[in-house]
Amino acid sequence: MTAHTITVAGVAVDTRHWIGGERVASTETFTNASPIDSSVLGEISRGTATEAAAAVAAARDAFPAWAATARAERARILSAIADGVEKRIEELAIVETMDNGALLRSHRRGVMPRVAHNFRFFADWLLKLDHEDFETRGHTNHVSWDPAGPCVLITPWNAPLMLATWKVAPALAAGDTVVLKPAEWSPLTASLLADIAAEAGLPAGVLNVVQGYGSEIGDALTSHPDVRRISFTGSVPTARRIAASAAENLTPLSLELGGKSPLLVFADADLDLAVDLAVEQYDNAGQVCLAATRLLVEESIAEEFTRRFAEKATALVQGDPRDETTDIGPNIHPRQLEKIDGFVQRALAAGARAIMGGHPNQGQYYAPTLLTYVAQDSEIVQEEVFGPVLTLQTFTSEEEAVRLANDTRFGLAATVATGDRERAERVTAGLVAGTVWVNCFFVRDLQAPFGGSRQSGVGREGGTWSFDFYCDLKNTVTAPNGWNNHG
């Protein structure tokens, strides 16, 4: 152990940055506390423009050699990182639970295995990435994906490691180098990822991790002239600042932003399935960008749906996320809890009714909440709450359902519950969303494009779309003759 190492649930975590293959401390720190019980986990190095510049320089210097590394070797190292994650799933799971409050059982069984899969998938996809040559008047067109350069990846706190590696893995596979800036509310597993990557043989400077507040380090990263790509997951206001910062250098952006997604429940749906889908929206204490927080239910079944929903949702167990029986853990930070309650109290003051919840519980826990009698143009319907708060509205026709579903500035996702295949096709065709689920929720394949419409984002990542973003696409056109040698 060193002065810069903390122990979280028995796991040693280095609190310094990872820059150029070395641990680097800052003169200032910030306090990292667990949302479970507000206990202090440790003091984390607080980066500034100095660390940002050093990390970008390390990524810039490491780029030529990494970009020139054969695809097979890059894929081998990414697979070795996946192996390292799998060996440490239990450690990663408990550290992330302590750091962001999500369920330990989910981290063990789903999230951390997905982290490993992110690396393995993009390693495999790299090896088959190809575009068939085509001819133009006898000339051959050959499309290639060239590494772009250093990337800045800024990731959120609600699923820290999974969402970080969703960006890190394709960027590294593409031959880019990375500066990862994790959210200051949940930075610990990013530090462990740096250790795992180094142990897997990733060369120094190819992956760098800098910690700190966006207001202090973010602009220095996103405005740096040596940065070739920026990928960000987070809020719309922060995205605007990043886009303005990147504009000076015309740095390409991929932005996965907020959502106010609908769940449309038609009278012909399997009602038990529809209720299950609705209750599932409380996952991760409602801190899921894709969550269908607006329940739109056909009027003829609304009363029965509401009764069954309340019965099932009130049976959810809220408590310590380390307990196997817990269904809903805490919200990430006191400021987030205050924000959630502010939305709810303003809605109640404006005439909304709480079918259930509507108040904080002890500590950083907010009671699962369902609000009715909400106006379409109200704040609670239009703005992202990012907590365990759902609204319920009714509709009487398919056209009204689609109109209500589309009537926000967002367009990240939508969920449809119906027993009519033709209706499903009509409704999904009319919905403005990057992802639509029909009679299911949160089924995600890394081959599929992912991103949002409207103010839910810019661009798509996943499968070849990730390589399209993290690479410079080149088309080489070759004449059919003119060679001096004819071998």
Side-chain angles (χ1 to χ4, degrees):
M1 293 292 179
T2 70
H4 299 287
T5 302
I6 60 174
T7 302
V8 179
V11 181
V13 183
D14 200 302
T15 61
R16 295 170 292 181
H17 313 284
W18 178 255
I19 300 174
E22 297 180 350
R23 288 293 177 179
V24 176
S26 295
T27 55
E28 300 291 329
T29 63
F30 62 92
T31 301
N32 185 33
S34 175
I36 299 173
D37 55 10
S38 300
S39 61
V40 172
L41 299 176
E43 296 296 320
I44 312 300
S45 278
R46 180 173 169 176
T48 64
T50 299
E51 288 81 9
V56 173
R60 179 198 61 213
D61 293 345
F63 173 68
W66 182 244
T69 300
R71 283 189 180 191
E73 178 62 8
R74 294 204 303 262
R76 185 194 67 77
I77 293 176
L78 262 66
S79 295
I81 295 173
D83 292 340
V85 169
E86 288 173 343
K87 290 175 184 175
R88 301 185 68 176
I89 279 179
E90 184 63 26
E91 293 180 11
L92 293 167
I94 187 60
V95 169
E96 189 127 299
T97 292
M98 293 295 295
D99 204 15
N100 88 326
L103 300 185
L104 179 57
R105 71 168 189 253
S106 296
H107 282 145
R108 282 173 172 158
R109 300 169 193 171
V111 177
M112 295 310 161
R114 178 60 179 265
V115 169
H117 177 64
N118 285 346
F119 283 103
R120 219 175 289 287
F121 172 88
F122 284 107
D124 293 342
W125 201 264
L126 170 64
L127 296 179
K128 63 182 180 182
L129 184 67
D130 192 23
H131 190 293
E132 186 176 346
D133 290 353
F134 57 97
E135 287 196 1
T136 304
R137 298 189 301 276
H139 295 63
T140 301
N141 292 262
H142 176 74
V143 176
S144 58
W145 287 261
D146 293 353
C151 300
V152 166
L153 311 179
I154 304 174
T155 53
W157 45 258
N158 59 320
L161 191 57
M162 196 276 286
L163 292 177
T165 57
W166 158 255
K167 301 176 187 295
V168 170
L172 296 182
D176 295 341
T177 52
V178 166
V179 178
L180 171 63
K181 193 278 180 192
E184 60 268 25
W185 286 352
S186 56
L188 298 184
T189 49
S191 179
L192 294 177
L193 176 64
D195 295 334
I196 292 170
E199 291 165 6
L202 191 69
V206 175
L207 172 64
N208 307 274
V209 179
V210 290
Q211 302 146 162
Y213 297 119
S215 59
E216 297 176 349
I217 195 172
D219 184 65
L221 291 171
T222 56
S223 65
H224 201 292
D226 290 337
V227 171
R228 296 292 177 259
R229 295 291 187 274
I230 299 169
S231 181
F232 168 73
T233 298
S235 70
V236 172
T238 302
R240 290 195 181 106
R241 292 195 295 272
I242 290 172
S245 178
E248 181 69 23
N249 301 306
L250 294 178
T251 309
L253 296 167
S254 177
L255 304 174
E256 196 269 280
L257 309 177
K260 196 67 181 177
S261 301
L263 165 55
L264 292 74
V265 180
F266 290 91
D268 56 24
D270 178 330
L271 200 54
D272 288 334
L273 170 64
V275 168
D276 286 345
L277 292 173
V279 173
E280 193 176 350
Q281 308 310 311
Y282 290 130
D283 182 49
N284 200 20
Q287 299 169 142
V288 178
C289 59
L290 294 163
T293 56
R294 295 184 295 133
L295 308 182
L296 304 177
V297 183
E298 193 160 352
E299 191 173 88
S300 62
I301 61 166
E303 184 176 347
E304 178 64 13
F305 175 91
T306 304
R307 184 189 67 78
R308 293 197 201 182
F309 175 90
E311 182 178 286
K312 192 173 186 69
T314 53
L316 295 172
V317 176
Q318 186 168 41
D320 192 321
R322 294 167 293 187
D323 191 323
E324 279 282 319
T325 64
T326 296
D327 299 307
I328 300 178
N331 291 98
I332 184 75
H333 194 275
R335 291 213 305 269
Q336 183 66 16
L337 193 79
E338 182 180 356
K339 176 186 172 186
I340 294 165
D341 194 46
F343 273 112
V344 173
Q345 298 313 315
R346 290 191 297 274
L348 293 173
R353 299 182 189 177
I355 298 296
M356 52 181 282
H359 56 83
N361 285 329
Q362 188 174 6
Q364 288 173 215
Y365 297 78
Y366 202 87
T369 296
L370 176 65
L371 301 177
T372 59
Y373 292 90
V374 292
Q376 179 63 24
D377 62 354
S378 63
E379 177 192 55
I380 196 69
V381 170
Q382 293 294 325
E383 298 298 325
E384 185 177 43
V385 177
F386 223 60
V389 178
L390 309 181
T391 60
L392 190 148
Q393 299 166 272
T394 62
F395 62 85
T396 57
S397 70
E398 195 175 292
E399 293 73 22
E400 184 185 16
V402 173
R403 179 180 61 79
L404 292 172
N406 288 340
D407 188 20
T408 75
R409 61 193 173 103
F410 297 104
L412 187 55
T415 304
V416 178
T418 178
D420 185 330
R421 183 184 295 273
E422 292 182 355
R423 167 173 279 159
E425 292 173 354
R426 289 193 303 271
V427 170
T428 56
L431 292 172
V432 178
T435 300
V436 180
W437 287 287
V438 179
N439 295 327
C440 61
F441 177 65
F442 215 37
V443 178
R444 284 185 60 184
D445 192 309
L446 287 178
Q447 298 181 74
F450 181 76
S453 304
R454 297 175 174 169
Q455 291 193 24
S456 285
V458 175
R460 296 292 185 271
E461 296 186 43
T464 300
W465 288 275
S466 286
F467 288 95
D468 288 348
F469 173 69
Y470 289 109
C471 290
D472 289 325
L473 270 77
K474 178 190 293 177
N475 185 44
T476 301
V477 184
T478 305
N481 47 41
W483 308 112
N484 292 324
N485 60 325
H486 302 283

